[in-house]
Amino acid sequence: MTGIAVGLTKGHVVSRRKLATRPGQRKGKLGKRVKMIRELVRDVAGSAPYEKRLMELLKVGRDKRALKLAKRKVGRLLGFYSNFLVPTTRTQT
């Protein structure tokens, strides 16, 4: 701000206040405990049939087919799939 009455930066010159973070701003952030529990459940329960097919396609080298399958089944790439799929598709283009 410049202190001038007109223009994009008009108005009184002030410094920005540092505000405390609200609980809503950290919504969706994965905590340590929840992450550990999800990993444990995945180890115990195993993979879903389409996840097994995804891993098999990646072993064979059908990266594009695996990406299409993941998008169709999940709707969007989540953390588990992006670890496998995103680096393989970027290296080939």
Side-chain angles (χ1 to χ4, degrees):
M1 293 190 176
T2 59
I4 300 175
V6 293
L8 290 175
T9 58
K10 67 180 179 181
H12 183 71
V13 179
V14 294
S15 59
R16 194 136 178 100
R17 290 174 52 206
K18 179 65 180 166
L19 299 174
T21 58
R22 299 186 309 249
Q25 291 176 326
R26 63 178 184 83
K27 180 179 177 182
K29 186 176 180 187
L30 189 64
K32 291 185 293 186
R33 183 171 185 269
V34 174
K35 182 180 179 183
M36 189 266 307
I37 290 172
R38 285 184 185 166
E39 288 174 357
L40 180 70
V41 169
R42 178 166 288 281
D43 289 341
V44 172
S47 301
Y50 74 93
E51 291 172 342
K52 291 177 184 172
R53 183 172 173 213
L54 266 176
M55 289 185 270
E56 185 63 32
L57 285 170
L58 290 171
K59 285 179 194 172
V60 175
R62 304 280 310 270
D63 298 334
K64 190 172 182 180
R65 171 58 56 196
L67 183 67
K68 286 183 177 184
L69 177 70
K71 283 183 179 178
R72 194 175 74 234
K73 290 289 185 180
V74 181
R76 62 188 176 112
L77 292 179
L78 299 176
F80 177 73
Y81 306 107
S82 62
N83 294 340
F84 294 114
L85 299 172
V86 174
T88 56
T89 54
R90 286 188 184 154
T91 55
Q92 293 175 354
T93 55

